[in-house]
Amino acid sequence: MLHPGNSENLLDRAMRTTLFLILVLLPAFATAHGQEVTVVQPMNEGQEVLAVKPKALEQGFAEAALMASLDILPGELGEERQKLLKAFLGPRTRELVLSYAELAHEQTWNELTLRLDVRINRQILKGLLREAGVFYTSVEPWPYSLTLSGGAPGDFMEVEDLQRLTGVVIKPDADPALSLRRDEGGALRAELRTGGRVLTEVHQELGPLWFRIWRQYFNLPEVQARVMRTAILLTEGWANVRQAAAFDRELNGWDRLVEEARLTEIDMGERTITGRWVLTVRNSDLLMANLKERLTERGIRFSFLTPADDDAEERP
């Protein structure tokens, strides 16, 4: 038989668990917003719409992927770098596009204009931005040193554009140090030295070789630590679960500031509701500014703690 005190504790625990599940699951039902784009596709006189529409859709999908990328990246990209990123994403839109809707369709004798609403898979997009390197270098370029050897002069013509897309700049004696060479068998080899590590890749083509070697580098724990920080967000003062759920959805939409926001605990006390999030942070200063603005206007107290902090930063 359960004593009244034990029964009350079990009830409180069940209520807290239910509230936690509600708050975690509600974001899954949030409406996904698409990217609205307009595409103008030239047509030859007498050409059928069906002949040019696939090309127009491809352009629209690539433009939507670029727009979503600019929403995610914390820094600004110049026009030339945007063109390179769009060219990189274009052949990959099949895996990026969740769905699309045709909002408007206009045809003249020499062009087709489409207005589209395109829903992009942002998790896959983030993976591609990491692969290109731009995910880590949109705020400031990453210095490195480069050595080229072997092969014909044309073997490394792409390097300049690849550097610009990835966001790396040559600086003598910089770490990391990348060496690219064509071996006698015709394969291209990359060797990247950083600290005491040596990373290697082999491929017949420069583009895939380049992205693979830089992906290895940016995935190193010590490099990740330079661009990402883990933080704990503690909140207190929620009036109800829906209010906290709305903030959880908002927090997970701050792509430029937060790589991941994971709700790990929610507790319904006698007078207030508290919540705890584990964050992977991309820009701590801007995140603090957003938290101060968005939470204080709701009357929520919060503490923001990173492993490097002795004490949490608290805000009324």
Side-chain angles (χ1 to χ4, degrees):
M1 179 180 296
L2 294 173
H3 294 290
N6 291 339
S7 176
E8 185 176 348
N9 289 339
L10 287 173
L11 182 60
D12 287 345
R13 187 181 305 167
M15 182 176 293
R16 286 196 297 269
T17 301
T18 301
L19 289 170
F20 176 80
L21 289 173
I22 290 172
L23 190 53
V24 168
L25 292 175
L26 271 175
F29 299 98
T31 302
H33 298 285
Q35 304 289 335
E36 189 171 314
V37 298
T38 299
V39 181
V40 178
Q41 178 63 38
M43 296 177 59
N44 297 324
E45 188 174 358
Q47 194 172 22
E48 296 290 335
V49 170
L50 291 178
V52 298
K53 190 172 183 178
K55 181 66 174 178
L57 290 175
E58 287 178 10
Q59 290 187 34
F61 296 159
E63 183 65 24
L66 175 63
M67 291 174 62
S69 299
L70 299 180
D71 287 343
I72 290 170
L73 297 172
E76 302 295 328
L77 302 187
E79 183 177 348
E80 185 61 31
R81 199 173 181 194
Q82 287 187 33
K83 290 179 181 178
L84 292 170
L85 180 57
K86 184 176 179 180
F88 171 80
L89 295 172
R92 298 163 172 83
T93 54
R94 184 179 295 273
E95 58 185 309
L96 283 173
V97 175
L98 293 171
S99 64
Y100 76 95
E102 190 173 311
L103 304 178
H105 174 124
E106 183 179 343
Q107 178 187 353
T108 65
W109 68 272
N110 67 341
E111 66 181 24
L112 171 67
T113 302
L114 296 179
R115 188 159 60 89
L116 307 170
D117 184 80
V118 185
R119 292 179 61 236
I120 297 293
N121 187 320
R122 293 202 168 206
Q123 287 305 114
I124 293 179
L125 178 59
K126 285 182 180 180
L128 291 174
L129 295 175
R130 292 188 189 95
E131 180 181 334
V134 65
F135 187 83
Y136 307 103
T137 61
S138 66
V139 174
E140 59 181 345
W142 202 284
Y144 85 117
S145 57
L146 175 65
T147 302
L148 305 176
S149 61
D155 286 345
F156 303 110
M157 288 182 63
E158 297 175 65
V159 167
E160 187 174 341
D161 281 346
L162 291 169
Q163 287 179 144
R164 187 176 292 111
L165 171 59
T166 298
V168 293
V169 292
I170 296 175
K171 182 179 179 181
D173 301 321
D175 183 338
L178 176 62
S179 173
L180 299 174
R181 65 182 178 88
R182 175 81 71 180
D183 65 20
E184 294 180 357
L188 282 168
R189 297 183 178 272
E191 182 180 275
L192 190 147
R193 295 179 177 271
T194 177
R197 298 176 184 267
V198 179
L199 311 177
T200 60
E201 283 287 353
V202 180
H203 202 278
Q204 293 298 122
E205 298 179 13
L206 180 57
L209 179 78
W210 176 272
F211 295 126
R212 289 179 184 183
I213 196 67
W214 282 108
R215 180 170 54 191
Q216 279 199 59
Y217 173 73
F218 285 119
N219 281 339
L220 291 174
E222 59 267 33
V223 177
Q224 286 285 311
R226 290 172 58 183
V227 293
M228 301 287 184
R229 301 177 69 190
T230 300
I232 305 297
L233 174 64
L234 305 175
T235 61
E236 178 184 356
W238 301 107
N240 53 60
V241 174
R242 287 190 175 275
Q243 188 185 36
F247 173 70
D248 185 62
R249 290 193 296 272
E250 183 178 347
L251 183 60
N252 277 281
W254 293 352
D255 288 325
R256 288 189 170 203
L257 310 177
V258 178
E259 171 62 10
E260 182 184 30
R262 197 159 41 86
L263 178 62
T264 60
E265 183 180 324
I266 185 168
D267 193 2
M268 187 172 183
E270 293 183 2
R271 297 182 178 180
T272 188
I273 296 173
T274 63
R276 179 181 187 272
W277 281 262
V278 176
L279 310 177
T280 303
V281 181
R282 303 177 66 186
N283 191 317
S284 297
D285 293 338
L286 286 179
L287 177 59
M288 278 299 300
N290 269 32
L291 289 172
K292 184 177 180 180
E293 177 184 353
R294 303 302 293 163
L295 290 179
T296 54
E297 69 183 15
R298 293 177 168 102
I300 305 298
R301 288 181 57 84
F302 73 92
S303 300
F304 184 72
L305 180 66
T306 66
D309 297 330
D310 294 326
D311 299 293
E313 294 187 54
E314 295 190 3
R315 295 293 184 272

